[in-house]
Amino acid sequence: MTNLKLKRYVTAEKARNHPSLSVVYICPECNISRYLQHISRPSGKVKCTKCNKIYVKP
Ligand SMILES: [Zn+2]
């Protein structure tokens, strides 16, 4: 599965616990963050509703 992209200056550790996905991650396909949504919180899977692909947190 593909990893989400981290925003500049954000570490993977910091991003994992951040309450708001769009603040720390970017969709690697669309290069924007506003369509990212959690689909299952414990596993850390995230869906981009624009490209309809599933990503995982790095
Ligand atoms: Zn996307």
Side-chain angles (χ1 to χ4, degrees):
M1 211 166 279
T2 315
N3 276 1
L4 288 163
K5 265 172 44 177
L6 289 162
K7 285 205 174 174
R8 208 194 290 231
Y9 309 123
V10 176
T11 63
E13 290 72 27
K14 209 173 184 178
R16 223 170 285 143
N17 297 310
H18 200 282
S20 182
L21 289 171
S22 60
V23 175
V24 289
Y25 295 115
I26 302 169
C27 172
E29 182 92 3
C30 313
N31 272 305
I32 47 174
S33 41
R34 81 177 85 138
Y35 297 101
L36 298 175
Q37 284 181 2
H38 276 116
I39 54 163
S40 72
R41 214 170 254 281
S43 68
K45 283 189 184 143
V46 173
K47 182 178 184 179
C48 173
T49 57
K50 189 166 194 293
C51 60
N52 268 310
K53 287 184 181 166
I54 311 286
Y55 300 102
V56 287
K57 296 180 179 183

